[in-house]
Amino acid sequence: MAKANRVDLTERDYKGAESTMCRGCGHDAISASIMRAFFASSVDPRSVIKMSGIGCSSKTPNYFMNQAFGINAVHGRMASVATGANVGNHSMIPLGISGDGDTSAIGLGNFCHMMRRNVNITYVIENNGVYGLTKGQFSATADEGTVMKGGKINDMPAIDLCELAITLGATYVARSFSGDRKQLAPLIQGAVAHKGSAILDVLSPCVTFNDHSGSTKSLKYIREHLDPLHDIDFIPPYENIEVDYEEGTDQEVTMHDGSRITLHKLGHNYDPTNRMQAVTALHAAVAEHKFLTGLVYLNEERAEFVDDLNLCDTPLSYLTQEQVQPPAIRLDEINAELRK
Amino acid sequence: MPVVNDLSISVATANGSGSASSNNILFKSIFKMGIPCSSKNMFPSNIQGLPTWYQIRANADGYLGRKDVIDVMVMFNDDTADKDIYRVRDGGLIIYDDTKPLPDNLKRDGVQYVGVPANALVQKHVEAGPLRAKQRNMLYVGALAYLFGIDMETIREVLSDTFGNKPAVIESNLLCIQLGYDHMRDNNLSQSLAMLETIPGGNEGKIVTEGNTACALGAIYGGVTFCAWYPITPSSSLAEALERYLPRLRKDKDGKHTYAVIQAEDEIAATNMVAGAGWMGARAMTSTSGPGVSLMNETLGLQYFAEIPGVYFIIQRGGPSTGLPTRTQQADIQLMHVASHGDTRHIILIPHDMKSSFDLARKSFDVAERFQTPVFVMMDLDLGMNLWGSDPLELVQEPFDRGKVLSQEDLDRQGSFARYLDLDGDGIPQRTIPGNRHPLASYFARGSGHDSQARYSEDEKDYKETLDRLRQKYETARAYVPKPLVEYDAGIHTGVICFGSSYEAVREARDRLKASGVNTNHLLLRALPLSEEVREFMANHEVIYLMEQNRDGQMAAIFREEYPEFATRIVSILIYDGLPATAGEIVRQVEQHREAATNGIETKVDESWQKQIASI
Ligand SMILES: Cc1ncc(C[n+]2csc(CCOP(=O)(O)OP(=O)(O)O)c2C)c(N)n1
Ligand code: SF4
Ligand SMILES: [Mg+2]
């Protein structure tokens, strides 16, 4: 018997359709971490909405959590679709999947404004530095000096999506690697527990178009340049585990729903709630050609977007005619005003 | 003898000079006298300084379209005065500021001049300050009131209706209006053109509003819960009316909102937010104009193909590109009809007055949910932003039509669910709303090819089936959308078709044609797709004048495609100078066609009318 979680589901219940990614594509590994994270947090897939744009990465929501409603929107606009969906029914748990092209090029503006609003979402960017689905052109996260399969060199600086996210108001910002499930799964759990824009920039090698030598997003290069900030554990609210806590090297943050993230520092003396330090660390990592991974920034103070809107408790999409159609007498009052 | 209650006044001022307030007082005073009246605001795309004209028509017969000729010109803008003197008709009246003598180049034969020393009077009686220049405009209100018979008591009432809780504002305005009034009286100035006389009980119960307000109220009564929009003239005032009325009308018992209005970062975001909210099951809308629709095209296709409801209020303005952003046009019909790439056909609802703006706005959410598709409500600047007298808005009490939405119980009963399967043969599949926890409920919506189970598919059969079903859905809509309003007499073989803001001008034009012996039947189109009633009307007439406000006959092209057998019967009447349509121009084009037809001369568009200075 497979192990069941608190909502009585086994890990199998988090599966989706058969993947159509290339064998070895980082995106599939991310899907596996997503399934692991939602299972481990005992989230019922029927409470989840899966959203994406267009690209190889954006196809993947089809490959996990069949029981969740999903939408594969147009290229680059998932951030806006998610904004509408979150406001339309704020009781659902929003999960967005995007690519580096989808988010950092065509969809950059809408992505920025979603974070500026602090829309509640777990927003995963499956970052391979290229456009996979259109066969390997550079994306805006391609590092300066990286080489395309045909030999073309990128001479523009990469957009650092984590730095951008911090600047624009996202409240949970993490970087990880598709091959590091031990780090990625708890980061996703934390993102789901967080209320606000949680941005996960996940390095995800495109084995078909960007895995050659000279590429800074090849599996080998990424592995050699990873620089994790900390080991990370996620403890859901219902678990009463006491963690061994080492003053100075361990940090624990409690989230609004009572869940906890514990960070065991690795070399860096790093506090993710310090915004300036986060930006500085990201800058330093770029200069040292390192991929800083882990929970880069966390702000549990800022209200999420739907709180700013003062919405009624019932999701807007469930409101009935009785709840939304004012009585005719109010129209008479307005008619009277329009006579003046 | 001056005529009674038939008058057009054009007020020429500079934008931002405070004339909006004085024009409003003037218009509402005439309305309060019980005289049917309308106003057309020809304003610039500018905040201060560029010329603006405000044209009021008072007409006892109730014609509310723009009048062809201007009887009275209030010449209060030096920058346009040299042209304004020719905009007024022969025998008309010019009111001007005679603080300084009139320069020679502003003198013209065949019109009467009446001066009011507005500058001198405000300088003498109004304290120096930023308000003084604005107060100057109140003087022409007083001058017109005396000359045409609006009594000061009516004006006082309008001032108190308008500025109720600000007695100081009422007093300062009243002072200036009185100055203008007294100057006319004390100098025995008069005119013999026309008089305004109170019509007892006239306008009784009537309201004055703009289409954008009526649409916003309709949307609220239609249960809108979500609006995402990006500011653009002439549509902003619709979303702003929502923002004004929603807090009053739509709070729950805890004071929380049963709605959300989001000012998006652009129209692309707005349309995608609508798609997201609509997919979730919220009644979602946006309002925009042509440039916004251009940006929204891609997602309109997503909503069409993935079958996501949403309502799009489109307030048309002069295009292409930025065009004339503050002038009126009906030139985005094709843009809406087949919005987005690939084969699409969209449902369009077309209000023509204040009441139908309210009604169709309310109904649009039912149509969108019934057909699971984006629905356009096609407005234009004339309808949306100008003030119109109207019978009060009225709520038709009927249950919302949420379409084929399946609940958990429905799914239990049915035992199966395929999101894109046409069970009923009407092209409309069943839909579930996220949050429905039945094991069969979830599905994956996408803009890429899919089968009836909503699975990704590149299969040619699935693809063609989907396209054909979507077309079937459009065919089903023919019988569901609002029917045209038809005036029909079997003995008459000439038909006139119009829609939207053209209605008033066409109504008046038909009466004039009738007076000259040309009888016509009429069809007021209220929606696309075209319904059976339209086909019948086409079949029953030998000649059909199709009036629209664009250069290329965009609606006529749709008619010709739908009814190739009647294509040659259609004669386009086209007005596209950006100004609200007039009856006179419609009559002129109809007569020109008739003359050419009887004389056997090929119809040629005579463009001389466009070369004349438009009577703004
Ligand atoms: C409006 C529009 N322009 C272009 C495309 C073509 N297109 C499809 S996917 C894609 C890039 C995807 O790259 P990314 O988001 O990085 O996803 P990946 O395939 O790398 O996972 C592009 C340009 C499109 N679908 N729509
Ligand atoms: S092309 Fe690249 S990104 Fe796309 S599925 Fe293949 S490996 Fe993955
Ligand atoms: Mg990519």
Side-chain angles (χ1 to χ4, degrees):
Chain A
M1 265 292 283
K3 195 171 150 274
N5 62 12
R6 279 173 58 95
V7 290
D8 220 19
L9 298 172
T10 66
E11 209 158 344
R12 278 183 62 97
D13 296 318
Y14 289 78
K15 290 211 172 328
E18 200 63 44
S19 169
T20 60
M21 298 291 105
C22 305
R23 261 179 80 117
C25 173
H27 299 351
D28 275 338
I30 299 175
S31 296
S33 284
I34 290 171
M35 290 185 262
R36 168 68 54 81
F38 279 79
F39 167 73
S41 283
S42 294
V43 177
D44 189 328
R46 293 175 303 177
S47 316
V48 177
I49 45 171
K50 307 175 293 184
M51 297 163 285
S52 63
I54 296 291
C56 294
S57 37
S58 291
K59 284 174 178 255
T60 64
N62 202 16
Y63 311 143
F64 53 78
M65 289 195 280
N66 255 343
Q67 287 284 305
F69 279 80
I71 185 168
N72 198 183
V74 296
H75 193 23
R77 309 302 167 197
M78 180 266 283
S80 306
V81 171
T83 303
N86 178 229
V87 175
N89 183 344
H90 61 269
S91 72
M92 303 298 285
I93 297 167
L95 170 63
I97 307 292
S98 181
D100 43 311
D102 201 57
T103 288
S104 71
I106 190 167
L108 188 65
N110 297 146
F111 174 63
C112 289
H113 286 272
M114 177 197 77
M115 298 188 291
R116 180 171 171 255
R117 297 186 176 97
N118 200 27
V119 172
N120 183 35
I121 188 168
T122 297
Y123 190 111
V124 180
I125 303 139
E126 307 192 339
N127 186 349
N128 51 19
V130 288
Y131 294 174
L133 195 58
T134 51
K135 301 192 181 233
Q137 302 85 354
F138 281 136
S139 85
T141 66
D143 297 299
E144 199 169 345
T146 192
V147 181
M148 202 191 273
K149 224 178 173 182
K152 198 162 144 188
I153 298 171
N154 172 49
D155 46 21
M156 282 181 286
I159 293 178
D160 186 325
L161 291 170
C162 286
E163 189 184 335
L164 185 78
I166 295 169
T167 309
L168 282 161
T171 41
Y172 181 108
V173 179
R175 174 164 290 141
S176 191
F177 164 52
S178 58
D180 187 356
R181 188 170 316 170
K182 207 167 141 293
Q183 184 193 57
L184 180 53
L187 280 174
I188 294 169
Q189 288 182 276
V192 172
H194 176 74
K195 292 276 180 254
S197 293
I199 310 302
L200 290 95
D201 179 19
V202 186
L203 298 161
S204 176
C206 170
V207 294
T208 305
F209 296 111
N210 205 11
D211 203 25
H212 44 278
S213 65
S215 160
T216 60
K217 294 272 193 322
S218 69
L219 190 56
K220 184 162 179 289
Y221 185 96
I222 293 172
R223 277 197 197 285
E224 285 167 0
H225 292 80
L226 287 175
D227 184 13
L229 287 164
H230 34 235
D231 281 336
I232 177 164
D233 281 308
F234 178 85
I235 304 158
Y238 46 83
E239 272 177 28
N240 234 338
I241 305 170
E242 275 302 316
V243 217
D244 290 337
Y245 194 83
E246 230 176 285
E247 206 58 50
T249 44
D250 289 334
Q251 185 179 4
E252 185 175 279
V253 273
T254 306
M255 326 227 6
H256 278 302
D257 67 348
S259 52
R260 288 169 292 161
I261 294 174
T262 62
L263 305 167
H264 181 75
K265 293 176 188 172
L266 299 169
H268 300 267
N269 185 17
Y270 189 83
D271 173 9
T273 63
N274 182 332
R275 188 170 177 174
M276 285 313 292
Q277 193 189 17
V279 174
T280 311
L282 287 169
H283 269 275
V286 172
E288 293 166 27
H289 302 287
K290 284 180 178 167
F291 297 115
L292 202 65
T293 64
L295 181 57
V296 180
Y297 178 63
L298 177 66
N299 173 353
E300 282 283 288
E301 307 304 314
R302 193 180 164 201
E304 62 164 306
F305 185 50
V306 292
D307 288 341
D308 294 340
L309 294 173
N310 191 25
L311 294 187
C312 58
D313 300 335
T314 309
L316 296 179
S317 63
Y318 299 165
L319 293 171
T320 60
Q321 181 167 4
E322 291 63 43
Q323 289 167 300
V324 295
Q325 189 172 67
I329 189 164
R330 305 301 302 277
L331 188 59
D332 296 339
E333 288 165 27
I334 291 166
N335 278 320
E337 290 165 19
L338 295 176
R339 276 184 202 115
K340 289 191 170 179
Chain B
M1 268 294 284
V3 296
V4 173
N5 291 340
D6 185 11
L7 180 66
S8 70
I9 304 170
S10 178
V11 181
T13 53
N15 207 30
S17 68
S19 50
S21 188
S22 38
N23 292 337
N24 188 46
I25 305 290
L26 182 61
F27 174 71
K28 294 213 164 147
S29 300
I30 298 171
F31 182 79
K32 222 181 182 88
M33 293 172 75
I35 308 164
C37 55
S38 65
S39 77
K40 307 290 178 199
N41 192 4
M42 269 71 80
F43 60 106
S45 177
N46 155 272
I47 304 302
Q48 205 169 54
L50 286 186
T52 176
W53 293 268
Y54 188 84
Q55 195 172 318
I56 295 175
R57 178 177 193 187
N59 178 268
D61 296 329
Y63 296 127
L64 299 180
R66 188 168 67 94
K67 193 170 173 181
D68 313 279
V69 293
I70 289 165
D71 303 316
V72 181
M73 172 61 74
V74 177
M75 195 169 76
F76 262 46
N77 184 356
D78 292 346
D79 291 342
T80 57
D82 57 344
K83 287 207 177 89
D84 288 339
I85 56 170
Y86 295 107
R87 294 185 206 273
V88 69
R89 71 168 166 90
D90 286 340
L93 173 72
I94 291 176
I95 309 237
Y96 69 106
D97 186 339
D98 67 351
T99 302
K100 290 186 198 146
L102 197 67
D104 281 346
N105 71 324
L106 297 184
K107 289 182 181 151
R108 181 203 142 179
D109 289 339
V111 292
Q112 182 191 350
Y113 283 85
V114 172
V116 53
N119 263 335
L121 287 170
V122 284
Q123 277 180 20
K124 191 161 157 212
H125 297 276
V126 180
E127 250 179 75
L131 277 182
R132 189 194 258 171
K134 299 197 171 189
Q135 296 286 22
R136 170 180 176 251
N137 284 320
M138 288 294 164
L139 272 106
Y140 65 69
V141 178
L144 289 166
Y146 179 80
L147 289 174
F148 291 94
I150 307 171
D151 67 62
M152 284 304 289
E153 191 44 45
T154 307
I155 289 177
R156 219 169 273 130
E157 280 172 31
V158 171
L159 283 169
S160 101
D161 284 350
T162 313
F163 304 112
N165 48 2
K166 299 179 199 149
V169 181
I170 297 177
E171 278 319 305
S172 62
N173 283 323
L174 198 57
L175 170 87
C176 293
I177 296 171
Q178 193 74 54
L179 285 172
Y181 191 94
D182 292 350
H183 181 83
M184 295 292 123
R185 189 193 52 206
D186 299 346
N187 293 282
N188 280 325
L189 295 168
S190 67
Q191 52 79 33
S192 53
L193 216 60
M195 285 309 284
L196 296 174
E197 277 175 17
T198 297
I199 302 177
N203 290 336
E204 178 96 51
K206 290 222 194 269
I207 60 166
V208 176
T209 190
E210 334 85 344
N212 283 353
T213 299
C215 281
L217 288 166
I220 293 171
Y221 275 86
V224 66
T225 55
F226 184 92
C227 172
W229 66 291
Y230 187 73
I232 183 168
T233 305
S235 73
S236 300
S237 58
L238 200 166
E240 284 161 353
L242 277 182
E243 287 176 333
R244 200 166 59 244
Y245 284 110
L246 277 167
R248 265 174 71 178
L249 297 171
R250 290 277 296 279
K251 279 186 182 151
D252 71 2
K253 57 182 186 334
D254 305 320
K256 292 187 172 180
H257 301 169
T258 60
Y259 63 87
V261 179
I262 302 177
Q263 186 186 317
E265 59 272 25
D266 55 36
E267 287 88 347
I268 298 179
T271 176
N272 281 286
M273 288 178 191
V274 167
W279 167 59
M280 294 309 279
R283 293 201 143 186
M285 62 163 276
T286 187
S287 70
T288 189
S289 69
V293 187
S294 291
L295 285 182
M296 291 175 172
N297 258 268
E298 189 184 16
T299 296
L300 283 162
L302 169 71
Q303 284 193 263
Y304 176 80
F305 202 53
E307 301 179 62
I308 300 170
V311 175
Y312 287 73
F313 289 90
I314 309 304
I315 326 302
Q316 297 168 99
R317 64 187 215 181
S321 190
T322 303
L324 290 185
T326 58
R327 298 295 158 84
T328 198
Q329 193 89 309
Q330 296 175 325
D332 299 328
I333 303 166
Q334 294 278 2
L335 181 69
M336 292 181 235
H337 180 53
V338 291
S340 205
H341 50 276
D343 282 324
T344 67
R345 280 285 182 282
H346 298 288
I347 297 172
I348 306 179
L349 309 183
I350 317 174
H352 67 283
D353 62 6
M354 299 304 100
K355 284 193 73 169
S356 59
S357 294
F358 177 84
D359 291 337
L360 296 190
R362 180 180 60 78
K363 204 70 193 145
S364 63
F365 294 90
D366 286 351
V367 182
E369 288 212 289
R370 165 62 43 189
F371 290 92
Q372 305 171 22
T373 196
V375 166
F376 291 104
V377 180
M378 183 173 105
M379 300 284 290
D380 58 43
L381 184 144
D382 186 16
L383 210 50
M385 285 188 76
N386 282 325
L387 288 174
W388 298 73
S390 160
D391 286 333
L393 307 177
E394 211 179 317
L395 177 63
V396 178
Q397 308 266 6
E398 57 185 355
F400 285 173
D401 181 0
R402 307 302 304 248
K404 300 182 188 176
V405 175
L406 299 181
S407 66
Q408 281 168 230
E409 297 71 47
D410 294 333
L411 287 169
D412 265 338
R413 223 172 297 126
Q414 196 167 293
S416 67
F417 169 56
R419 171 67 179 95
Y420 297 116
L421 185 67
D422 183 5
L423 280 174
D424 306 322
D426 57 5
I428 309 172
Q430 296 175 325
R431 183 164 75 110
T432 51
I433 300 291
N436 183 331
R437 296 174 76 84
H438 195 280
L440 291 170
S442 71
Y443 70 96
F444 205 98
R446 47 164 68 82
S448 38
H450 45 266
D451 66 10
S452 62
Q453 312 255 17
R455 288 175 303 217
Y456 183 85
S457 169
E458 297 183 6
D459 182 276
E460 60 273 18
K461 197 167 150 286
D462 288 336
Y463 174 63
K464 188 165 174 297
E465 256 174 34
T466 304
L467 285 182
D468 289 342
R469 184 176 55 72
L470 289 172
R471 179 71 204 214
Q472 175 57 48
K473 199 158 88 164
Y474 187 73
E475 294 305 318
T476 302
R478 289 185 196 281
Y480 184 94
V481 296
K483 296 199 182 317
L485 301 181
V486 179
E487 266 175 62
Y488 182 69
D489 175 338
I492 297 172
H493 305 291
T494 301
V496 177
I497 296 179
C498 78
F499 53 91
S501 68
S502 304
Y503 176 69
E504 272 300 308
V506 165
R507 191 169 70 85
E508 183 178 356
R510 287 182 53 234
D511 286 352
R512 281 201 219 168
L513 286 167
K514 189 174 177 180
S516 67
V518 182
N519 290 322
T520 58
N521 286 326
H522 185 235
L523 182 142
L524 174 73
L525 186 67
R526 303 205 303 153
L528 286 177
L530 301 175
S531 60
E532 193 46 40
E533 292 78 9
V534 184
R535 174 187 292 283
E536 254 171 54
F537 191 84
M538 295 297 292
N540 286 338
H541 295 89
E542 286 155 13
V543 177
I544 293 135
Y545 295 104
L546 204 173
M547 152 71 194
E548 53 188 312
Q549 299 177 44
N550 58 66
R551 183 192 66 187
D552 294 338
Q554 296 190 17
M555 186 64 88
I558 295 172
F559 271 68
R560 290 198 181 95
E561 182 200 306
E562 291 251 356
Y563 309 127
E565 67 277 33
F566 305 133
T568 53
R569 301 180 178 186
I570 300 170
V571 179
S572 279
I573 306 292
L574 303 172
I575 296 183
Y576 51 94
D577 55 1
L579 302 178
T582 61
E585 178 53 25
I586 296 167
V587 169
R588 196 196 64 74
Q589 290 191 38
V590 169
E591 279 173 349
Q592 177 188 288
H593 169 263
R594 288 173 53 80
E595 204 173 306
T598 29
N599 297 343
I601 308 162
E602 210 183 300
T603 316
K604 253 210 193 134
V605 181
D606 168 16
E607 287 180 342
S608 61
W609 63 277
Q610 293 166 39
K611 295 196 188 96
Q612 297 160 10
I613 296 176
S615 48
I616 288 184

